[in-house]
Amino acid sequence: MAKTSPPVHRAPLLAAAVAGLGLLTACGTDGGTVDAPRPSQVDRATHTDSGTDGTPASRSVPSDSAGSASASARTDGRCHTSELRASVGRLDPGAGQRNFPVVLTNTSDRTCTLYGYPGAAFVDASGRQLGPDPRRAPASPETVTLPPGRSAWAGLSFASPEISGARTATPATLLVTPPDERDSLEVPWTAGAVPVGGDESSVSVTVLEAGTGP
């Protein structure tokens, strides 16, 4: 009589395979677009120093995520922090106002897009935030397409402290966070004192639009 092979218990193996597939799917899921984080919540530990010419440097990408960041840059239309350079343009004085264009320039070799408001925060030399986050000026954002080398800007405004009488401090740096990004860019602040007093910020920021400012 022919020998009969003992039955193979495949159920546990099948369950383990299904569980493994679910884990891989969760790890590969893109979280989608989110609002730019409050700059005060950004971990500033990985900031690099700015160059002597005032050109800000982006935060370093952790080595264990460098590969995934490169893959994302090839497939995601959004501009990432590592692909941008931030700068602050010339003061544009108004009636009792101080207005500055905050400029983001595409330094990558691909075309990418920006949409919405940048995050902004004044910090002192130790990295401590001075005053609350700027409020967002009401507007209807539009997608700004940036080919390599092109720029977008947002207006950063506040009442002249001499007129408003607000409590002030002199920042060392302006942190700029591109829309939907978590890492910030550092820009040396050389424009003097800014208002930091009160329960609500008297600093405002506008939506991004194409160009480098007025």
Side-chain angles (χ1 to χ4, degrees):
M1 178 181 297
K3 293 184 178 180
T4 303
S5 300
V8 178
H9 299 284
R10 295 184 174 87
L13 295 176
L14 180 59
V18 171
L21 179 59
L23 179 59
L24 290 175
T25 303
C27 292
T29 300
D30 186 358
T33 300
V34 297
D35 289 337
R38 294 168 65 89
S40 57
Q41 297 174 338
V42 177
D43 176 16
R44 304 185 178 100
T46 56
H47 279 169
T48 56
D49 293 335
S50 301
T52 56
D53 61 352
T55 301
S58 64
R59 293 179 178 181
S60 59
V61 178
S63 58
D64 61 350
S65 62
S68 60
S70 298
S72 177
R74 290 193 298 270
T75 59
D76 188 352
R78 187 177 80 241
C79 297
H80 299 289
T81 301
S82 60
E83 300 173 303
L84 298 168
R85 180 180 71 247
S87 59
V88 175
R90 185 175 55 186
L91 168 66
D92 179 26
Q97 287 284 117
R98 293 183 180 177
N99 309 300
F100 299 88
V102 177
V103 182
L104 292 172
T105 301
N106 181 6
T107 60
S108 74
D109 58 0
R110 74 179 185 105
T111 297
C112 59
T113 60
L114 294 170
Y115 177 86
Y117 298 83
F122 293 110
V123 298
D124 62 17
S126 66
R128 180 176 61 90
Q129 182 168 337
L130 301 173
D133 295 336
R135 59 181 175 82
R136 293 179 172 184
S140 298
E142 295 184 1
T143 299
V144 181
T145 301
L146 295 184
R150 302 300 291 270
S151 302
W153 72 283
L156 185 72
S157 303
F158 53 86
S160 299
E162 296 85 354
I163 297 175
S164 67
R167 182 168 59 87
T168 64
T170 301
T173 303
L174 175 68
L175 296 183
V176 181
T177 309
D180 303 318
E181 291 291 297
R182 296 186 179 278
D183 291 337
S184 300
L185 297 160
E186 294 183 356
V187 184
W189 182 257
T190 60
V194 301
V196 298
D199 296 332
E200 187 172 340
S201 175
S202 58
V203 181
S204 65
V205 64
T206 67
V207 296
L208 286 159
E209 55 184 287
T212 57

